[in-house]
Amino acid sequence: MSENEPDRPDRRHDRRGGGRPERRERPGTGRVGYGGQARRTDPGKRSSQRPSERRRHADPARSVAYETLRAVSDGAYANLELPGRLRRAHLGGRDAAFATELVYGVTRMRGFYDAVLARCSDRAPVDMDPPVLDVLRLGVHQLLGMRVPAHAAVDATVGLTRGEIGAGAASFVNAVLRRVSETPAEDWMGLVAPGAGRRAEGTDDGAFEAPTSLEDVGVAHSHPGWIVRALRAALLAHGASTPETVDADLLDLLHAHNVPADVTLIARPGLLEVEDLLEAGASPGTLSPYAAILTEGGDPGGFPAVRDGRAAVQDEGSQVLVLALVEAYDRLVAPGASEPRWLDLCAGPGGKAGLLAALSIPRGATLFANETSEHRAELVESAVGAAMDAGAEVFVGVGDGRRIGAEEPNSFDLVLIDAPCTGLGALRRRPDARWRRTPADVGDLTALQEDLLSSGLDALRPGGVLGYATCSPHEAETIQVVNRVTRGRADVELLDAGRLLDSISRSGHVTAGRGSFVQLWPHVEGTDAMFFAVMRRREAPAGDL
Ligand SMILES: C[S@@+](CC[C@H](N)C(=O)[O-])C[C@H]1O[C@@H](n2cnc3c(N)ncnc32)[C@H](O)[C@@H]1O
């Protein structure tokens, strides 16, 4: 076994923590002073190597992980930053997988790891030098999240520190990580978050201990407290939980955010048969008839159809909301439509536009894909390329979607608004979003979302259908936006999005639809937490119907 390999196959974050462990010695009684010698370390665990023999430099995988985390701390996006760094360091195979696990593991669990570090140092994580904090988090992830053997995790992280930061920091990191390693991984949760409650994996029969503190729930599952509270409220608001079940459901949801999601592909309808992906080793999806799931970390780039755009990476939640909207169009609009025009108001980077473009071909519709960012509009152009080669008529434009309703009123038979949002529904795939977002973002985004929805409704032809979607379940961005905008409009009716979802889903019945809205959940449907509502512009003012 290489030193990079965990000694247990399961690298997942252990959801069962939170129960009170039997106490041995209380960590934190021997905290490590910063920038100097450890005040207390177990002499029996000291390295037997002389300093001159100790590792001076990190291996390339850890270096790439460290540099990526530094970039993320400075505002970069992990998913955009890491691939280029892996390429430039010529890392592939197991080393690339190891670096990826380090980056995403630390990004997911750093809230919990910081609570552990706070017990092992006399300096709070927020007061540490950011580079030192990043290496410490890398070390803690190896110790607690990956179960890399303690000596390998500590020595390699100290070598990384010595090479990247300096000898003084290396001795501090050495002392703190040794302190962390003195307590078994499974005990840490109960120590730093005793009120987090407990939910045993795969059971709902009594193996649940209710949390007594939402702050501790956030620490244990590494989510900021405001997100924990917002998600709990969202579970209730969307009817996914009752007051009796909400705490157990919340723990399941937060746990799901910390488990890496499988990559899901879509075989774009009319361009590729989903069977072609299944024959190449993918598994069928659970909701979308066009979904193919790559389990075991399959590489989408290995599929020629992904490379040429007949297939794409797309979560099933995103697939089904487009399919449900087009189902509404087929039932209510298509029979009377001539030269239909479709609008994707917020199209970048183009995942849903790619699906809409494929679906527009047999329906003879022209798709206008609008995006406010020039760069993201370029990505839309490439996403719709394969459908255009197959005959789709697509125009990509750069503009502010808030103005289209006034500039082109009553013009489109179908409008999709996949609104800019907090992304709290996609934390499995974008773990850095939980640390980037703030409660203030919610207010800014809901104002924009309301303006976009009003504009999209104005752009809709009477009789046309509109889908409003977010990859966030936050009540303010979902139910409240739709209710506030539609309340004042007698010309708009909400359609039963749940029934539309049922009619296009593989099983024919999905519990996610309640009333007019659909809210999917990672811990229930296994998708991102997409919300969508479908509405129709009435043919005539309500009084004349
Ligand atoms: C959730 S993303 C859309 C994802 C896209 N539908 C897809 O499936 O790939 C929201 C997009 O809205 C864009 N956006 C933000 N403000 C906008 C505005 N005022 N008008 C149009 N697009 C906007 C953002 O740049 C972002 O690309």
Side-chain angles (χ1 to χ4, degrees), residues 246-445:
V246 68
D247 287 322
D249 294 341
L250 177 67
L251 297 193
D252 285 347
L253 172 60
L254 299 180
H255 172 71
H257 286 165
N258 290 333
V259 177
D262 288 329
V263 174
T264 305
L265 303 180
I266 180 166
R268 287 178 168 151
L271 309 186
L272 182 75
E273 297 298 326
V274 71
E275 284 71 25
D276 292 339
L277 297 176
L278 304 183
E279 279 163 20
S283 312
T286 52
L287 285 183
S288 162
Y290 303 110
I293 297 174
L294 307 185
T295 47
E296 314 278 324
D299 174 19
F303 288 80
V306 172
R307 292 198 296 272
D308 67 27
R310 289 172 298 138
V313 174
Q314 187 167 51
D315 184 74
E316 279 196 86
S318 294
Q319 298 183 28
V320 294
L321 80 87
V322 173
L323 296 174
L325 175 60
V326 173
E327 175 73 11
Y329 169 86
D330 285 344
R331 287 188 198 179
L332 300 172
V333 191
S338 77
E339 300 188 12
R341 298 180 74 207
W342 291 4
L343 170 65
D344 186 349
L345 196 68
C346 304
K352 294 177 196 69
L355 176 52
L356 277 174
L359 293 168
S360 72
I361 300 172
R363 292 163 179 85
T366 301
L367 173 64
F368 177 44
N370 175 73
E371 165 58 45
T372 191
S373 138
E374 201 135 342
H375 168 63
R376 288 167 83 84
E378 283 167 17
L379 300 177
V380 178
E381 277 170 5
S382 118
V384 298
M388 290 182 75
D389 291 345
E393 206 173 329
V394 184
F395 298 91
V396 178
V398 179
D400 186 337
R402 289 173 289 191
R403 296 167 49 167
I404 288 183
E407 289 168 357
E408 295 196 60
N410 310 323
S411 300
F412 295 93
D413 301 272
L414 174 151
V415 174
L416 172 64
I417 304 173
D418 186 20
C421 69
T422 54
L424 299 187
L427 295 183
R428 303 179 306 165
R429 301 185 196 278
R430 299 283 155 77
D432 34 350
R434 72 184 81 174
W435 310 115
R436 207 185 293 281
R437 288 295 182 195
T438 67
D441 293 336
V442 178
D444 296 344
L445 283 163

Side-chain angles (χ1 to χ4, degrees), residues 410 457 460-465 486 489-495 535-545:
N410 310 323
L457 286 168
L460 201 58
R461 211 173 253 168
V465 290
T486 57
R489 297 192 63 139
D491 61 335
V492 176
E493 64 178 323
L494 278 169
L495 303 180
M535 46 209 98
R536 185 181 194 207
R537 186 111 183 250
R538 295 181 202 270
E539 300 278 359
D544 297 344
L545 284 175

